[in-house]
Amino acid sequence: MAVSANRLELLQIADAVAREKSIDREIVIAAMADAIQKAARSRYGQETNIRVDINTKTGEMKLQRLLEVVEEVEDPATQIYLDLARDKNPDAEPGDFIAEQLPPMEFGRIAAQSAKQVIVQKVREAERDKQYEEFIGRVNEIVNGTVKRVEYGNVIVDLGKGEGIIRRDEQIPRELFRYGDRVRAFVYDVRREQRGPQIFLSRTHPQFMAKLFTMEVPEIYDGIIEIKAVARDPGSRAKIAVVSRDSSVDPVGACVGMRGSRVQAVVGELQGEKIDIIPWSPDAASFLVNALQPAEVAKVVLDEDAERIEVVVPDDQLSLAIGRRGQNVRLASQLTGWDIDILTEQEESERRQKEFVERSALFMEALNVDEMVGQLLASEGFASVEEVAYVDSSEVAAIEGFDEDTAAEIQNRAKEFLDQRENELDEKRRALGVEDGLRQIDGLTTAMLVALGEDGVKSVEDFAGCAADDLVGWTERKDGETKKFTGALSAFEVSRQQAEAMIMQARVMAGWVEAEEPAVEADEEAEEA
């Protein structure tokens, strides 16, 4: 079958556009079909259901009008009687469509212009979709490009098949770009927008440095060494924690390279940013000691519930541990994910002495004993009157200078003090209007009920409507700094899991939810049977 010049030209145009825009040829032909369909509707009526088929091999074009088969025709332009439809197709049923061949049509100037706009729009959309699909797969990767222009401090980068933007806050401080400069950046986000995919690049992202090390250190690329955490103060200093999966490979030495060649390549790309390479450890205390390098650490105390760590350093190491403008401790906190408090040995000694004096005074007042007895109890590690009252009497009697009678007398006085305080707190609870029903919730003490009443929680329904954050507080981390918000029970040692369990118990008591029945083991059921 001979192909006419017009048909051949149609396919040639489709091939040329597909090659130029790097999109699928089928998309271009589909766009042409949509354009011809729109032009045909302008001639035969917008309500007409027209289908255009273009043969991708020969370029032959078929123009058809689709009519719905119905028993009662309401719109002759889109519907056909069942009897007439069966004359053309004996198997036609209501709801089917009959295709009528339309004669070839010639495009007028307006129709041709409209068809051109449809094709251009469809091709442009296909081009944008291809760009998006290409770059969405390159998120969290490094790309190379050329500076195209600088607008209000934002750098527009030509990436070949698309444009990326490095916003001012994603650039390393004091870094200048000019037209034509080669630039390397990290793709951290790609968004589909009306004017095309927006590719957001960064040179300050922590993973930018991690990817640079992956490119420079073959052991990281091969998976022998793993980058566990990265913290950066862009343009100034950074810390990176690495660990080796092969005991024969030193992770720090491999990242530094021969005479520092590998780390210097990364430093050069980051405009001279100083990089501390730290060995990672699964033990939080050891990891933190490494993270605070080059400062020496004398002692570490962890509070896992609050994710806070207390570090004691020698007096002459304090400024080194904190760093200029707090940089060293801030980066160590970002790297480890812990809040860090730094104390000198002198400050810790003064604090311990203050705590000792406060505990001694507490025991003297609560137990009505002299200073020596109060100091003995404090020096033995007793931190509260509750501990003295309910610890095994043999532990109190074992204190030097005490006997069993003395221990019994001290414990009796401790219990009397606690009973008196409990009565005072209970009176305060009633004055605040806190209901007795809250006492039935496991884990709530009278002191907690007073704290809840002062916070406006006075009934089981009030408590059931609380969230765990309302009780134990929460933390928010922003710009490398952590801000703490207190809850009604923050002054008490209540974990988040305990708070959630108490809230759920209150919701069961309030009838908001049904209590879950404990599962019965199959062997127990068999025994009962």
Side-chain angles (χ1 to χ4, degrees), residues 6-7 10 32-46 48 50-54 60-65 101-115:
N6 287 340
R7 295 175 185 173
L10 190 71
M32 290 179 169
D34 287 344
I36 296 169
Q37 183 182 32
K38 184 176 181 181
R41 278 183 175 170
S42 65
R43 176 173 178 177
Y44 292 106
Q46 293 296 330
T48 309
I50 293 177
R51 184 174 67 190
V52 177
D53 293 324
I54 299 177
E60 183 180 359
M61 181 175 64
K62 288 183 179 179
L63 202 61
Q64 296 174 321
R65 178 173 64 176
Q101 196 75 21
L102 295 175
M105 58 174 287
E106 294 184 0
F107 290 87
R109 182 179 62 82
I110 296 176
Q113 186 67 25
S114 177

Side-chain angles (χ1 to χ4, degrees), residues 233-249:
D233 191 351
S236 178
R237 193 171 180 182
K239 291 179 183 286
I240 180 169
V242 291
V243 63
S244 175
R245 295 177 178 173
D246 187 342
S247 58
S248 63
V249 177

